[in-house]
Amino acid sequence: MDDALSWLQASRLSDIASLQRLRQTGKLITTVSELVHQLQRERGASNLWICSEGRLYGEQRLASEQDVTRCQRDFCEALPQADAQPGYSRFCNLIAAALQALAGLPALRQQITQQQIAHAQAVAAFNTIIRSLLNLVFEAADTASHPDITRALIALFSFMQGKELAGQERALGAAGFAAGQFSAEQRSGMVALIEAQEQSFLTFQQFADEAVLQHWQPLAQASREIERLRRIACTDGRREDSGALHWFSLLSQRIDQMKLLEDQLSATLMSRCREAIALARHQAAEPLQVAQPGCNFTLYVSGADWLPAESGALNSDGLAPQLGRSLLSLIAEQSQRLQHQASELATLRTTLEERKLLDQAKNWLMQQHGLSEEQAWQRLRKSAMDQNKRLPEIAQAIVTVAATMKKSL
């Protein structure tokens, strides 16, 4: 009986350890949020500087470099120790990839300063760095074992993804307005980015709490002026001499407002972690007591194929001497709680798996056909519309084809 109590207590303490690790990851994600935002600013300033041949946003570009350096230092300080831990391999690998991507910043900045890189290539390089950081947020959501925290992470990741797409739209639009015209590729890219934003923000709305959604409502629709400029960009309409700066200013204001909401989502995440840890500690502190001998109890276990065929239950007489109602009730309560969590997590995992499929399909299209991220997304959307299927179904088909081709090589 004492052994059973020990293992039940170990289960509770394991919950606490898992939640503490999630809280540590949450702190890291908060620094990722700030670093990504500053990288988005540097990307925007660098893009305008290149497009204007060094005439615009020179001071802002240098200031944003300093902000990124500061946030990069905070990110590195928030990293966990590089220790081997069970189930931590993929997250460690993604941290390594993010650090490697960030290590390429000095060389990228030098190319920009010397104007040895085209604006599209510079933007693509920043996109890659930012994507490596967003992967950490997605992985945290994918591996979280607490439903409320997983929900908060999905809301945060989806919102950060939408905000990043808005940043890419800002860069692409600024380049087109600065050039005085949008190429067919740029126009289709703008359409794809706008559609992808809407998809990300829809997912965010599914998982965000009511308080956050109330703050989102004023931002959900772009302003009339942004929509007007979008129509110009997407339809090759009339240009304006001040279009690039005007567009950049409007989009920057909207993205900065999004960052305030992103901070609120980060705060919600940390609050959920603290609440879950406090509850788990309270439960762990409760005494584990068993009833007096002679109080037999039967616990029916659904789907327990490890029990004898003639019995679908655990009986207190057959477990151990004096193992009575209280202990089995505790085990049943713990099992029900874990089963409820597993059910919630399964639902949340579906959303994450669909996101994985979309990313895998998009990456394969980019590698196989030399497409940009916007072009790959647009091809996915077009295939879904042409075949009247959901995006995840199209993505699954592409991933299956990619796997088949890989095996045949």
Side-chain angles (χ1 to χ4, degrees):
M1 182 169 58
D2 289 341
D3 286 343
L5 289 172
S6 297
W7 284 106
L8 189 58
Q9 183 68 0
S11 173
R12 292 178 169 183
L13 294 177
S14 295
D15 280 347
I16 295 174
S18 176
L19 289 168
Q20 287 174 330
R21 182 165 138 182
L22 267 176
R23 181 177 62 180
Q24 186 64 34
T25 301
K27 292 179 180 178
L28 176 64
I29 297 307
T30 300
T31 66
V32 169
S33 169
E34 189 62 32
L35 177 54
V36 165
H37 185 65
Q38 297 303 333
L39 280 166
Q40 289 166 343
R41 283 184 167 180
E42 183 177 354
R43 175 182 59 194
S46 299
N47 182 56
L48 267 184
W49 192 82
I50 294 172
C51 290
S52 66
E53 297 180 344
R55 294 190 302 272
L56 299 174
Y57 269 72
E59 293 183 4
Q60 292 90 332
R61 184 174 72 89
L62 294 176
S64 64
E65 286 183 11
Q66 295 176 358
D67 290 335
V68 167
T69 300
R70 170 181 54 80
C71 292
Q72 188 175 346
R73 184 169 56 250
D74 293 341
F75 167 71
C76 291
E77 290 176 356
L79 288 173
Q81 290 186 344
D83 296 332
Q85 297 183 37
Y88 210 46
S89 173
R90 179 171 169 80
F91 195 67
C92 291
N93 189 58
L94 290 173
I95 290 174
L99 290 173
Q100 185 177 13
L102 288 166
L105 266 176
L108 174 60
R109 288 166 176 163
Q110 185 175 10
Q111 285 183 300
I112 293 171
T113 299
Q114 297 175 356
Q115 299 188 37
Q116 295 177 340
I117 186 171
H119 69 85
Q121 292 174 312
V123 168
F126 276 109
N127 292 353
T128 299
I129 296 171
I130 292 171
R131 190 183 305 117
S132 73
L133 291 165
L134 290 178
N135 285 341
L136 293 174
V137 187
F138 181 87
E139 181 66 14
D142 195 31
T143 56
S145 57
H146 191 283
D148 286 344
I149 296 174
T150 301
R151 189 177 297 276
L153 279 165
I154 294 176
L156 177 59
F157 169 77
S158 300
F159 190 82
M160 291 179 71
Q161 181 74 24
K163 175 170 163 283
E164 163 57 10
L165 292 167
Q168 292 182 27
E169 181 194 5
R170 174 177 62 182
L172 185 58
F177 281 114
Q181 62 179 354
F182 284 81
S183 66
E185 182 179 342
Q186 286 175 321
R187 291 197 300 274
S188 63
M190 289 287 289
V191 172
L193 286 170
I194 293 168
E195 291 177 346
Q197 283 176 65
E198 292 175 354
Q199 188 69 32
S200 293
F201 289 137
L202 280 175
T203 304
F204 147 73
Q205 291 176 75
Q206 290 175 6
F207 294 96
D209 58 33
E210 191 61 35
V212 171
L213 290 177
Q214 288 179 0
H215 287 91
W216 166 244
Q217 289 307 315
L219 285 173
Q221 296 296 324
S223 68
R224 290 182 179 179
E225 183 63 5
I226 290 177
E227 290 294 350
R228 184 182 73 84
L229 293 174
R230 277 177 169 176
R231 286 193 295 273
I232 292 174
C234 295
T235 60
D236 197 27
R238 179 175 56 86
R239 299 289 179 272
E240 299 176 1
D241 293 338
S242 60
L245 288 176
H246 185 43
W247 166 264
F248 187 84
S249 176
L250 288 172
L251 268 290
S252 295
Q253 290 174 20
R254 186 166 190 251
I255 291 171
D256 286 343
Q257 289 174 329
M258 287 182 183
K259 180 58 171 66
L260 296 176
L261 187 55
E262 187 175 298
D263 291 343
Q264 189 175 348
L265 287 167
S266 297
T268 298
L269 169 63
M270 296 309 298
S271 176
R272 296 267 176 91
C273 289
R274 288 191 296 269
E275 290 170 0
I277 291 173
L279 178 60
R281 283 176 172 166
H282 175 74
Q283 292 174 339
E286 292 179 348
L288 296 174
Q289 298 177 345
V290 297
Q292 295 299 317
C295 183
N296 294 337
F297 177 70
T298 299
L299 172 65
Y300 289 91
V301 184
S302 175
D305 53 7
W306 42 271
L307 289 173
E310 66 276 6
S311 173
L314 291 175
N315 189 279
S316 61
D317 287 335
L319 286 175
Q322 301 180 355
L323 187 58
R325 179 182 300 273
S326 294
L327 182 54
L328 283 174
S329 296
L330 287 169
I331 295 173
E333 182 182 311
Q334 179 83 335
S335 298
Q336 289 170 1
R337 183 179 64 82
L338 293 175
Q339 186 175 8
H340 178 69
Q341 285 189 355
S343 178
E344 282 194 73
L345 286 170
T347 302
L348 298 173
R349 291 280 184 267
T350 300
T351 299
L352 293 171
E353 287 302 320
E354 289 183 350
R355 171 63 65 175
K356 274 186 184 178
L357 281 173
L358 289 172
D359 284 344
Q360 290 171 2
K362 183 177 63 179
N363 290 336
W364 186 82
L365 288 173
M366 291 167 65
Q367 295 171 6
Q368 191 73 12
H369 300 287
L371 302 177
S372 67
E373 188 172 1
E374 295 84 1
Q375 290 171 328
W377 174 256
Q378 191 172 29
R379 182 168 294 191
L380 283 170
R381 294 274 296 182
K382 187 176 186 303
S383 296
M385 292 176 64
D386 291 346
Q387 300 179 43
N388 195 27
K389 292 183 177 179
R390 295 176 64 244
L391 271 172
E393 295 179 80
I394 298 298
Q396 179 65 73
I398 292 174
V399 169
T400 301
V401 170
T404 303
M405 291 178 62
K406 187 175 181 180
K407 288 180 180 179
S408 64
L409 294 178

